[in-house]
Amino acid sequence: MNHWKEAASVILVARYLTRPPAKGFDYKVLMLQRSSKTKFMPSASVFPGGVLDKADYSEEWLGILKMAGTTYTGRHGLPTACDKPPILCLDRDSGISNEIALRICAIRETFEESGILLARNANTVPNESNKYRTLNSIADAGIDTAHLKDWQFKVDSDAHNFIDMCKELHIIPDIWALSEWANWLTPTNVRDSVHSGRRYDTIFYICCIDKIPDSSYCTREMVSLKWSTPTEVLGMYYPDKAIWLAPPQVYELSRMQNCTSVNSLHQFSVERRKHGLDRWLPVRINCTDGVLSVLPGDDLYPTYPDLEGKIEPTTLSITMEEAKLNYKHLHRFEIRDFHDCVIISNVSPKHGHLSPLKIDVVPAARI
């Protein structure tokens, strides 16, 4: 029995200033607002992404990837990481590995939801000098915008049409432009109106591009598309309560505040990915004034977390502040309501990653 579905998401970052400012960011991140009618996280502001489809690991991709001149070794030139979460190690009865399929999924879903195509011309060989480049706008591919809009609708209707589109337009999903950034598994025992009992094991990639591209969001799933700095997004969530963010988005945007330039963020993400990732399953602990969602490294995190939701959440007869004072190693969310989700962390991040910064913290120096 599958207790969750596999999914992939892209944290898409684009430069919007030609010169880094003295203070603040020279890039913005793409955020989409989900429709109130969607069953999972209605009205939430999210990074583009979605569920892995069987078309994403179709062996038809072997021929498409070979158009770039890559020799199939199971990885197609992707870097090797020290540690891999389970989602990247699943073995399918297919010539396409899960690592490749999830990247294709992330790019396909980004195209479906935002109209932004992360692809390269088939004659662009992914060598050391160009394998991190992407098409910065639809025009760079030499594809008519109206024609691409038609394909966006077709791909949204049937994921297999993404294969047909790449063949017809002679392009390749730019799997080399994505760097693994995080892996979150939806918590157990969450059956509210936000999650509807659905669970996803989601790999988050990050992709940095040189300019904000043309876009056209999918009106079936989304109601708006906006480019903002990480601090602006968090500001709309925390004090303004203008948007709602799920805890993984809060955490990853808070991490990104460490890097104020797109160049530093890109360099960091490319160099960091060789260290790999862990899968994070937040574990719920009820307190008298709210909910703790503890993460690996926290003193309250179980040695063997319940992946399937067979165990009822722990309840402590203390406040969240008391739970903070009573334990030394803290890595958790303190959740009081939908717009009061605060990260508490004093542990060193693993795999060469970044610690989340509070919304009112401005980095003293760029990475």
Side-chain angles (χ1 to χ4, degrees):
M1 177 181 178
N2 293 326
H3 296 275
W4 55 75
K5 294 182 178 180
E6 300 159 53
S9 181
V10 177
I11 303 172
L12 187 58
V13 173
R15 187 193 311 274
Y16 83 102
L17 294 175
T18 55
R19 294 183 180 180
K23 182 179 179 180
F25 298 84
D26 70 353
Y27 67 84
K28 294 190 175 185
V29 59
L30 175 65
M31 302 299 297
L32 295 160
Q33 185 177 352
R34 295 174 63 81
S35 166
S36 61
K37 298 178 182 179
T38 55
K39 293 181 179 180
F40 184 75
M41 295 202 305
S43 301
S45 290
V46 297
F47 308 124
V51 176
L52 186 70
D53 188 276
K54 63 181 181 181
D56 299 323
Y57 49 86
S58 166
E59 293 196 354
E60 290 184 65
W61 286 111
L62 294 178
I64 294 172
L65 291 170
K66 284 181 180 177
M67 289 195 300
T70 59
T71 301
Y72 184 66
T73 61
R75 302 189 57 78
H76 280 284
L78 295 178
T80 302
C82 296
D83 292 327
K84 293 182 184 179
I87 192 173
L88 296 182
C89 300
L90 291 175
D91 186 22
R92 298 185 183 278
D93 185 19
S94 168
I96 294 292
S97 68
N98 234 37
E99 285 188 90
I100 302 293
L102 285 163
R103 288 167 181 261
I104 292 171
C105 170
I107 293 169
R108 173 183 57 77
E109 286 284 347
T110 297
F111 177 56
E112 286 182 28
E113 294 181 348
S114 71
I116 297 171
L117 179 61
L118 300 174
R120 62 171 73 220
N121 295 318
N123 58 0
T124 306
V125 180
N127 57 36
E128 286 300 319
S129 64
N130 67 20
K131 66 181 178 182
Y132 303 126
R133 292 168 55 195
T134 68
L135 296 175
N136 292 324
S137 72
I138 291 173
D140 291 334
I143 304 168
D144 178 72
T145 302
H147 188 40
L148 204 60
K149 179 67 176 176
D150 290 339
W151 275 114
Q152 181 185 3
F153 177 79
K154 292 177 183 178
V155 175
D156 182 54
S157 301
D158 185 346
H160 191 275
N161 286 330
F162 193 48
I163 298 174
D164 297 336
M165 182 190 78
C166 290
K167 289 179 178 179
E168 180 175 314
L169 301 181
H170 207 59
I171 57 175
I172 300 171
D174 200 350
I175 60 174
W176 304 274
L178 307 185
S179 295
E180 291 95 348
W181 183 261
N183 180 201
W184 291 82
L185 178 59
T186 308
T188 61
N189 299 302
V190 179
R191 302 187 182 279
D192 52 26
S193 60
V194 173
H195 298 88
S196 302
R198 301 183 180 205
R199 300 183 64 207
Y200 299 93
D201 186 3
T202 305
I203 183 82
F204 288 79
Y205 298 98
I206 194 165
C207 178
C208 300
I209 55 180
D210 271 338
K211 60 183 178 182
I212 293 178
D214 299 330
S215 60
S216 176
Y217 67 85
C218 172
T219 55
R220 181 180 63 83
E221 293 186 80
M222 307 297 170
V223 296
S224 69
L225 178 155
K226 189 173 183 179
W227 293 87
S228 307
T229 69
T231 300
E232 286 172 343
V233 179
L234 291 169
M236 286 185 282
Y237 168 66
Y238 278 116
D240 295 346
K241 298 186 179 182
I243 63 172
W244 180 73
L245 299 170
Q249 276 75 18
V250 174
Y251 197 99
E252 302 311 335
L253 288 163
S254 298
R255 270 178 167 169
M256 292 169 65
Q257 290 189 113
N258 287 276
C259 300
T260 56
S261 79
V262 68
N263 287 343
S264 66
L265 182 59
H266 174 67
Q267 182 179 357
F268 171 79
S269 63
V270 169
E271 293 178 353
R272 193 221 61 80
R273 64 184 180 182
K274 64 186 177 184
H275 299 292
L277 293 172
D278 279 337
R279 179 173 66 190
W280 284 3
L281 168 66
V283 174
R284 178 188 180 109
I285 298 176
N286 297 318
C287 292
T288 58
D289 59 343
V291 174
L292 295 179
S293 184
V294 297
L295 302 171
D298 194 289
D299 284 342
L300 285 172
Y301 199 80
T303 304
Y304 301 104
D306 172 28
L307 297 176
E308 300 176 6
K310 295 179 179 179
I311 303 172
E312 288 298 313
T314 299
T315 296
L316 301 177
S317 299
I318 57 176
T319 65
M320 290 189 286
E321 182 65 23
E322 289 170 329
K324 183 165 61 177
L325 296 174
N326 291 349
Y327 297 93
K328 181 178 180 181
H329 302 104
L330 309 175
H331 192 206
R332 61 185 66 171
F333 295 101
E334 292 183 348
I335 304 174
R336 291 173 176 82
D337 60 47
F338 278 173
H339 288 92
D340 192 349
C341 174
V342 178
I343 304 168
I344 305 295
S345 179
N346 63 7
V347 300
S348 297
K350 294 176 63 179
H351 301 104
H353 224 314
L354 301 168
S355 295
L357 292 182
K358 293 181 180 179
I359 189 171
D360 57 350
V361 173
V362 177
R366 295 184 176 89
I367 289 179

